[in-house]
Amino acid sequence: MTLRTRLTLLYTALLSVLLLALALAVLTVMQRSLLNGVDADLRDAYGQYTNFAERFAIRPFTTNLPQPGDPFGTASEQRTISDIRGAFPDYHIQFEALIGEDIAALTLQAGGPDVQRQLLLNRLRDQIDALGTRRLAGIDPNTPIHLSDAQLLRLVASPDHQLLFSLEVKDVGLPPVLTRVLVKLTPFAYGQTSDGSTLSTPTIAYFGRSLEETSRTISTLQTIMLVLFLIGAGTAAGGAYLLAGQALAPLRTVKRAADRIGGQTLAVRVPEPKTGDEVQSLAHALNQMLDRLEGSFESQRRFTSDASHELRTPVTAIQGHASYLLRRTSPNEQQQESLNIIKNESERLTLLIGSLLELARSDGGVLHLRRQPVLALLMLQDVARELRPLAQAQNSVLEAGGQDVTFEGDPDRIKQVIINLVSNALKVGAGSIRLSSAPEPGPNTPGSGMAEKGQKGQPGVRLSVQDDGPGIAQEHLARLFDRFYRVEESRARDKGGAGLGLAIVKSIVEAHHGFIWIESVVGSGTTVNVWFPLGNLPELDDDVA
């Protein structure tokens, strides 16, 4: 996952959390505000009802027949709530008389021990259910509002003798609806004495109002919040992606410049954006590091080149004098053996010096290529023809085949690559060596890393050197192109190898913008593959003059 994507996800997640918290806060405040409005409306409506009842001597409800001990009277004696039902059409009303009780005494008993509270609950339940003093309006008589024991005790024990809660209430012939209910324990007046004093009895009054409208408002608000959340999150994601892209643009510029820097392009520097931030500091630090690396590499190349030049003259003199002594004098057997060792080692040292000079030129970027069209199969056949006598002397068979693909390159350098690979195969005692060429695009080349280096899909040619030698263990494959690395130390020295051949081969291949990789199985042989891009080939004119 890219840094831009991670930043976008982080910013979007943070803003989404903030938007979600804001939406929840707004919904909570709005819901509480609406409920507070409903609660205030219930209190106002209950106050209006009690004023009407007191003014017009209206009992909560009566039956057509007198009820013994019923303080609310009968229909023939008192006017009922039905007379003013039109003033409270949207409310659910329920009254429960507690005949003979005293509110102050009830409050004291509710604060007593558990046994006392349980006796109080039992007595109140008997009052409510047994005497039939419950009166209803807008509520199904079969499903009246019922307080739990905890709610009833809290109502009696609370200082204001009041409860507010929400529950589903059912009217006759209608489905249950969520209702906000105000419950009050209050002395309800039901008449006057002859001397004009008011008669009252403790009554549990229920005043409820449907929350359907409030629920619709909350639901609409939730929908609006969800839409705003989605729009805000999407806008945040898009804005964060664009802002992250703009913020990281200098980094991408630095990365592209850094990708172009290699062993032969250390003089290139990354641009330093004038942003005055960490990106500019990073680019400046990279350039300082490149300055140090360039100086170190230049010192190393200069030392290698100078040392190789200085060593070439004395080594040539040693080789010449050893050859002179072998040809012009008559050394004994022991002296002749020593002179041969001196001559052979000086020749090997000459080859080593030449390889070091070539690598120094390659590292310094002075490995000049003479590019021209190369016929792959024809070049492999020339190499096979030149090296066949050497192969036959070692009882090896050398063949060349494949398709004749034309590509652009330096024929001498490419020929040097193939000769080096064939020589390595002969050194390990391969009995059969086959050279082949075939057209192959970049992605079909396994293990070469072309997709990472920008060669994906580019047309090219693959040259292969396959042998049936002993093979190479997997742990050695990754280091074969390291300088002075040898799989078999003693054997390589006997054959005259210095461990620089494959390093030189790799430098030549990379100078052609190609790739080299090795496939090997111990006991089954080795295949070295070299891939070259086709390059800029001249267009042939097919018209016949």
Side-chain angles (χ1 to χ4, degrees), residues 57-76:
I58 298 173
R59 301 293 183 262
F61 276 94
T62 64
T63 58
N64 291 328
L65 299 176
Q67 298 293 320
D70 183 357
F72 297 150
T74 64
S76 60

Side-chain angles (χ1 to χ4, degrees), residues 258-388:
D259 287 339
R260 295 193 296 268
I261 299 174
Q264 299 179 357
T265 56
L266 282 175
V268 178
R269 295 294 179 265
V270 299
E272 296 185 15
K274 304 301 180 182
T275 54
D277 54 11
E278 291 80 358
V279 178
Q280 183 177 359
S281 300
L282 174 63
H284 183 69
L286 284 175
N287 286 332
Q288 289 183 328
M289 180 189 68
L290 290 172
D291 290 337
R292 294 190 295 270
L293 285 175
E294 184 182 14
S296 176
F297 272 75
E298 184 61 31
S299 299
Q300 180 184 355
R301 285 195 296 264
R302 189 181 302 111
F303 171 78
T304 303
S305 179
D306 293 346
S308 300
H309 278 291
E310 293 298 327
L311 287 173
R312 175 172 289 181
T313 300
V315 169
T316 302
I318 292 172
Q319 182 180 356
H321 282 287
S323 300
Y324 175 80
L325 290 174
L326 286 172
R327 292 195 310 269
R328 299 297 180 92
T329 63
S330 299
N332 58 34
E333 183 177 351
Q334 186 176 2
Q335 292 172 339
Q336 186 175 6
E337 182 181 358
S338 298
L339 289 173
N340 280 326
I341 292 175
I342 294 173
K343 178 177 177 294
N344 292 335
E345 289 301 315
S346 62
E347 289 176 353
R348 193 172 72 85
L349 190 55
T350 300
L351 292 176
L352 176 59
I353 292 172
S355 299
L356 287 174
L357 281 173
E358 187 163 2
L359 285 174
R361 286 194 295 268
S362 176
D363 292 341
V366 294
L367 184 62
H368 298 294
L369 300 179
R370 185 173 53 87
R371 293 181 177 273
Q372 62 184 61
V374 179
L375 299 177
L377 180 57
L378 182 59
M379 184 201 62
L380 295 180
Q381 289 173 344
D382 289 342
V383 173
R385 184 168 55 254
E386 292 178 12
L387 298 181
R388 190 169 287 120

Side-chain angles (χ1 to χ4, degrees), residues 443-508:
N444 297 331
T445 309
S448 63
M450 292 183 183
E452 292 81 1
K453 296 187 178 182
Q455 298 291 350
K456 185 175 181 180
Q458 182 174 351
V461 58
R462 176 170 54 86
L463 307 180
S464 301
V465 179
Q466 182 180 9
D467 66 65
D468 60 354
I472 304 171
Q474 292 295 319
E475 60 267 21
H476 296 297
L477 292 180
R479 299 190 58 192
L480 285 177
F481 298 104
D482 294 347
R483 298 176 184 184
F484 299 105
Y485 183 80
R486 290 181 289 269
V487 176
E488 301 179 34
E489 183 74 20
S490 61
R491 185 175 180 180
R493 285 190 179 275
D494 294 340
K495 296 293 183 179
L500 294 175
L502 287 178
I504 295 174
V505 165
K506 184 179 180 182
S507 66
I508 295 174

Side-chain angles (χ1 to χ4, degrees), residues 31-49 88 91 162-166 180-184 207-211 214:
Q31 187 173 15
R32 184 171 298 176
S33 176
L34 291 174
L35 285 179
N36 289 338
V38 173
D39 294 344
D41 179 73
L42 285 174
R43 293 188 184 95
D44 292 343
Y46 177 77
Q48 293 176 12
Y49 175 83
F88 304 93
Y91 294 90
Q162 177 178 295
L163 289 180
L164 278 164
F165 57 87
S166 301
R180 187 70 172 173
V181 178
L182 168 67
V183 185
K184 292 184 70 69
F207 235 71
R209 177 181 169 182
S210 173
L211 291 177
T214 303

